[in-house]
Every structure is written in structure tokens, then in C-alpha cells.
């Protein structure tokens, strides 16, 4: 009986200890003073948006490798684990639960606003800070103190674009073609708002689906309106297909858009000749905008044997901010880490980051144009 009572007491002690543990025991151990610091990177590594995921991964990996080469944080190495959300919100939600259960204390990604929005409630409940590369204003509308953006929202991108097109160039005959996904809707609403503040109404406002391949009907309607410029609110591949098909239909006016139109995938899909003259609003026009961007581009080229671009730069900045906050907070977790991110002031590749209560940290873009297959700063 004595042995039985001893065994029962031992089991009871284990049960009580487990019951007193905070949710996510693995995550708590990741925040102690030993072992690697586990960070998740979640992005589309397969499917139509996989180019975004590939760029994000390379930018984040470069930042992590630089920190690890210098000893990590408090002598601990940073472990970056990669998860493929396939560009699907349901998959992303399941991955949010997985990274929580596996002890990741922070997340980089996604580049797809709809996926990030779907993941946000689970990450908030788990207390996992997330720095995303999405730009939809819907990310701000989530209202999570654990969600941060490593770039401007569509509001900034498109206000800058409207200033250039309407205020500077005096163009008011503008057509729009956007998709009905989270990114496209954000672009549509932000650009129409910027136009409305200037008393401009689009001559055509065509909305397509996010997975559409044939745009002849929408483009024919736009052609009949004879606009001076066409605003694009769609991701890289779809935007490239739209431009290519527009040229095939004899539409010769310039296109204008935000981040996707400044990428190699857009250029390759549309064709350099078709994309010539495209106007792009971006916080990172080229790898030659500063000494820091040139150093980043050189390191990126050495690591991956290809040219760096905006999305890799965004993920690099976001990861640097995350790791800086971890260092200043002594590898805190949960709300303490989120507060440390919000308090971080960082001079990045995209500009000077200072996060407000909405989780947005940067509020400026510049205008570039595609000339000779390259995105260059617009004249003047």
C-alpha cells in the first residue's frame, strides 16, 4: 500500500504540474534561455503565388543567416522553419495552429493578405506576433495587436499613384481592372477613394476573379471607353496576362499599379515590350536606391545567384525588425514581444519604420516606370 500511495502521489504531481503549465508548452520552452529560437515563415511555396513565397523565404533566410553568423541572440541560434500555405486561407489557418503547437514564438509572412487575415485570430489567441508582407487595408481592419506590416498598405501605394497620375500628369480618363480577391479588393477600394478625393470617376471599373485567365470581355469594355491609362489591381501573374491580352486587343495606353507590377514575374508574364511604360508605386524601386540596398542586393546575389527585388527586401526588413525586437526584449514571447516590435525604430531598405497602433510601420512609396525591361525612378 505504501508503494501504491507513492506511485499515485507521483502521478498526481505530474498531472498537477502539467495543469499549471501555460498554453503551448513547447512555445514556452522556446522562450527560455536554451536551445534554438523557433520562428515560422509561412507563405505560398507552391501554386500561382509561389514566386512571392520564394522571394519572401530568401529575404528572411538572408537576415537570419546574418544574425546566426554573429552568434544569434544571447548566444542562441535562430531556427527558421518554412510552411507552405499554398495561397489558401484554410491551409493557412491550419498552419497557424501547427506553428503554435510546435513552439514557434513568432511568424514571418504571409505575402497573401487573405491568408494572413484568416490566420490572424488563431495567432492572436496563441500570442504569436506576426510580421506580414500583405498590403490590404483589411489587415489593419483585423485589429490585432499581434499583427504588423513590413510595408505600406494599399492606401499609401494608391494615394501616391493618384498624386502622380492625376495631380502631376493631369490625367483623369482612367479605367480600372481589379480582381475580387483580398489584394484586388484592397487596391480597388484604395484607388477609387484616392480618385474620388480628386473628383475623378473611372471611365470603366471592371472586376475579374482572382483565378481568371481570359480577360477579353473586360478589356473590350475598357477599350470602348478609350482611357488614357489603366489601373491594375491584381497579383503578378494575372496582371501580366491582363497586359499581354490588352496589347493583343490593340490597347496601347500605359498601365499603372502597385507592388506586383514592379516584379520580374509581372515583366516576364506580360513581356518586356508589352509592359513598357507601366507606372509603378513602390517603396523599393530598385537595388540601387541606397548604400544599404546595394549591400543587400550584393549579399542576395551571392547567396541565391539572382537579383533581389521588393518582396525579398520586405521580408528582410521584417525579419530584421523581428530579431531586433527579440534581442531588445531578451527573447520575450507573447504580448511582451509584440510590444517590443511596436517600440522598435528601424532604418530599413524600404525606409524608416515606426509602428503605430494599427501595426503599420511605413507610410511612403515612390513612383517608377518600366523602361527597357527595368523599373527605374520616374523623371521629376
Amino acid at each position: 500500500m505504501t508503494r501504491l500511495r507513492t506511485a499515485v502521489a507521483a502521478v498526481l504531481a505530474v498531472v498537477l504540474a502539467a495543469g499549471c503549465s501555460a498554453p503551448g508548452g513547447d512555445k514556452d520552452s522556446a522562450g527560455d534561455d536554451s536551445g534554438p529560437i523557433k520562428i515560422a515563415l509561412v507563405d505560398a511555396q507552391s501554386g500561382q503565388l509561389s514566386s512571392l513565397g520564394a522571394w519572401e523565404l530568401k529575404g528572411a533566410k538572408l537576415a537570419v543567416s546574418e544574425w546566426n553568423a554573429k552568434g544569434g541572440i544571447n548566444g542562441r541560434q535562430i531556427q527558421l522553419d518554412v510552411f507552405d500555405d499554398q495561397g489558401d486561407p484554410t491551409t493557412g489557418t491550419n498552419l497557424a495552429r501547427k506553428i503554435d503547437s510546435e513552439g514557434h514564438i513568432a511568424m514571418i509572412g504571409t505575402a497573401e493578405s487573405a491568408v494572413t487575415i484568416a490566420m490572424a485570430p488563431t495567432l492572436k489567441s496563441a500570442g504569436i506576433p506576426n510580421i506580414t508582407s500583405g498590403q490590404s487595408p483589411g489587415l489593419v481592419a483585423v485589429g490585432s495587436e499581434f499583427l504588423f506590416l513590413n510595408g505600406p498598405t494599399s492606401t499609401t501605394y494608391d494615394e501616391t499613384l493618384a498624386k502622380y497620375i492625376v495631380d502631376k500628369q493631369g490625367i483623369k480618363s482612367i479605367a480600372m481592372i481589379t480582381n475580387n480577391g483580398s489584394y484586388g479588393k484592397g487596391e480597388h477600394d484604395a484607388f477609387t477613394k484616392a480618385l474620388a478625393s480628386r473628383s475623378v470617376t473611372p471611365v470603366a471599373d471592371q472586376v475579374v476573379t482572382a483565378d481568371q485567365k481570359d480577360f477579353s470581355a473586360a478589356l473590350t469594355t475598357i477599350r470602348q471607353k478609350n482611357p488614357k491609362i489603366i489601373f491594375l489591381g491584381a497579383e503578378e501573374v494575372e496582371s501580366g496576362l491582363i497586359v499581354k491580352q490588352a496589347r493583343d486587343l490593340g490597347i496601347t495606353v500605359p498601365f499603372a499599379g502597385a507592388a506586383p507590377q514592379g516584379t520580374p514575374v509581372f515583366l516576364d508574364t506580360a513581356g518586356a515590350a508589352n509592359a513598357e511604360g507601366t507606372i509603378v508605386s513602390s517603396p523599393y524601386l530598385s537595388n540601387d536606391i541606397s548604400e544599404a540596398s546595394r549591400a543587400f542586393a550584393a549579399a542576395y546575389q551571392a547567396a541565391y545567384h539572382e537579383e533581389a527585388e521588393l518582396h525579398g527586401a520586405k521580408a528582410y526588413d521584417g525579419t530584421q525588425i523581428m530579431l531586433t525586437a527579440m534581442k531588445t526584449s531578451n527573447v520575450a514571447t507573447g504580448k511582451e514581444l509584440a510590444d517590443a516590435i511596436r517600440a522598435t525604430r528601424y532604418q530599413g531598405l524600404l525606409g524608416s519604420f515606426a509602428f503605430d497602433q494599427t501595426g503599420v510601420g511605413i507610410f511612403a512609396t515612390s513612383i517608377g516606370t518600366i523602361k527597357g525591361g527595368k523599373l527605374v525612378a520616374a523623371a521629376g
Side-chain angles (χ1 to χ4, degrees):
M1 287 296 295
T2 300
R3 286 196 297 271
L4 179 60
R5 284 195 294 269
T6 301
V8 170
V11 171
L12 183 60
V14 171
V15 171
L16 288 173
C20 293
S21 297
D26 287 341
K27 184 167 60 182
D28 294 337
S29 66
D32 65 22
D33 59 358
S34 63
I37 301 167
K38 295 178 69 173
I39 300 174
L41 180 136
V42 183
D43 267 309
Q45 301 298 323
S46 61
Q48 183 168 299
L49 300 176
S50 60
S51 57
L52 294 176
W55 291 325
E56 289 257 307
L57 174 57
K58 289 169 184 172
K61 279 178 64 178
L62 187 60
V64 168
S65 67
E66 290 174 357
W67 279 73
N68 281 338
K70 296 177 181 178
I73 299 174
N74 296 349
R76 299 169 61 191
Q77 292 287 284
I78 300 113
Q79 178 179 317
L80 184 68
D81 294 326
V82 183
F83 299 86
D84 181 9
D85 63 44
Q86 303 169 37
D88 176 61
T90 301
T91 301
T93 300
N94 292 333
L95 288 176
R97 299 188 188 101
K98 182 178 176 64
I99 65 176
D100 177 33
S101 68
E102 293 184 354
H104 297 86
I105 65 171
M107 175 181 142
I108 302 297
T110 72
E112 316 102 43
S113 296
V115 179
T116 302
I117 290 169
M119 297 178 72
T122 301
L123 296 175
K124 179 179 179 179
S125 177
I128 298 175
N130 172 205
I131 297 186
T132 175
S133 287
Q135 67 185 62
S136 169
L139 294 160
V140 173
V142 168
S144 171
E145 66 270 35
F146 290 91
L147 182 58
F148 301 87
L149 281 67
N150 62 16
T153 67
S154 294
T155 300
T156 296
Y157 278 96
D158 296 338
E159 174 62 23
T160 302
L161 204 55
K163 281 181 181 178
Y164 180 78
I165 294 170
V166 180
D167 300 349
K168 184 173 182 179
Q169 296 194 328
I171 297 173
K172 296 185 178 181
S173 178
I174 303 168
M176 296 178 61
I177 182 167
T178 59
N179 70 33
N180 62 358
S182 183
Y183 172 76
K185 186 177 186 306
E187 284 294 289
H188 175 279
D189 294 352
F191 193 64
T192 52
K193 181 179 179 181
L195 292 183
S197 70
R198 293 164 169 80
S199 301
V200 174
T201 301
V203 297
D205 186 355
Q206 295 292 301
V207 177
V208 299
T209 64
D211 58 354
Q212 197 164 323
K213 299 293 189 295
D214 182 357
F215 308 97
S216 55
L219 290 170
T220 297
T221 298
I222 288 173
R223 183 178 61 183
Q224 291 169 348
K225 299 297 183 180
N226 196 30
K228 298 295 184 184
I229 203 163
I230 302 171
F231 174 80
L232 264 174
E235 291 82 357
E236 285 81 358
V237 173
E238 188 169 54
S239 290
L241 291 174
I242 289 170
V243 170
K244 186 176 187 303
Q245 291 177 31
R247 301 307 185 220
D248 290 342
L249 286 171
I251 297 172
T252 59
V253 299
F255 282 82
Q261 285 72 54
T263 64
V265 169
F266 166 75
L267 193 67
D268 291 344
T269 306
N274 294 329
E276 185 76 6
T278 297
I279 301 166
V280 181
S281 175
S282 175
Y284 188 86
L285 290 177
S286 78
N287 295 322
D288 199 35
I289 56 176
S290 67
E291 184 176 333
S293 68
R294 287 187 285 273
F296 164 73
Y300 192 100
Q301 178 72 42
Y304 308 118
H305 310 292
E306 64 184 54
E307 286 190 21
E309 52 68 68
L310 168 65
H311 294 88
K314 287 173 75 175
Y316 180 88
D317 274 353
T319 306
Q320 290 282 1
I321 291 167
M322 180 73 78
L323 299 180
T324 298
M326 286 181 177
K327 183 174 179 62
T328 58
S329 67
N330 197 29
V331 197
T333 60
K335 187 177 184 302
E336 188 178 347
L337 177 55
D339 289 343
I341 294 170
R342 187 168 286 103
T344 299
R345 300 293 178 265
Y346 180 75
Q347 183 61 45
L349 300 170
L350 273 65
S352 298
F353 285 84
F355 291 100
D356 64 13
Q357 289 306 115
T358 72
V360 180
I362 194 164
F363 300 87
T365 63
S366 300
I367 294 295
T369 56
I370 293 178
K371 291 187 176 181
K374 295 284 187 181
L375 180 62
V376 299

